[in-house]
Amino acid sequence: QVPLVESGGGAVEAGGSLRLSCVDSRSYVRDGDYVMGWFRQAPGKKREGVAWSYKGGLTTYYSNAVEGRFTISHDNVKATMYLQMNSLTPDDTAMYYCAADCPGLGGDSCAYWGLGTQVTVLS
């Protein structure tokens, strides 16, 4: 069973918005706070982190590429993490992954990963 499941990807025109969701099935049994993040990988490029936060949601961190355009948030009742993406550009086109139990804000050696959801931004 995959512990993290992403959804919400799709094709959108440049300047548009999408909201990604990540259901964390471990959340109901995992005690304490921990860092979760959103990552992306475009064809031929390395995976990069774009947004992180503690599951409690009080502290967030963004990459320079998305700061001011993307917002990470949590609904812990629904065990779901979100990534609101605004002002999308073709450079945002990638497979987006959520991850959990990351080694701090900005870390990418996370213990759990989803299978990804594709985001395509049309020029």
Side-chain angles (χ1 to χ4, degrees):
Q1 182 180 2
V2 179
L4 304 173
V5 179
E6 304 94 336
S7 63
V12 63
E13 292 188 354
S17 299
L18 282 174
R19 188 177 78 158
L20 306 183
S21 300
C22 171
V23 177
D24 178 5
S25 62
R26 307 166 318 121
S27 180
Y28 299 109
V29 297
R30 170 72 158 83
D31 291 332
D33 207 357
Y34 49 90
V35 175
M36 297 186 70
W38 285 99
F39 298 78
R40 67 186 183 186
Q41 187 167 21
K45 295 187 177 181
K46 293 182 178 180
R47 185 180 66 201
E48 63 171 337
V50 297
W52 296 258
S53 77
Y54 283 90
K55 189 170 76 74
L58 294 180
T59 306
T60 60
Y61 180 76
Y62 299 93
S63 71
N64 290 337
V66 308
E67 188 163 17
R69 300 188 298 123
F70 290 12
T71 302
I72 187 171
S73 63
H74 296 265
D75 182 336
N76 291 321
V77 173
K78 297 181 179 179
T80 301
M81 177 175 67
Y82 301 99
L83 185 68
Q84 177 67 43
M85 306 186 296
N86 298 329
S87 302
L88 286 162
T89 75
D91 287 342
D92 296 314
T93 295
M95 183 71 80
Y96 282 71
Y97 301 89
C98 68
D101 283 6
C102 303
L105 299 174
D108 63 0
S109 300
C110 307
Y112 299 94
W113 294 84
L115 297 180
T117 185
Q118 177 68 38
V119 171
T120 301
V121 184
L122 307 171
S123 59

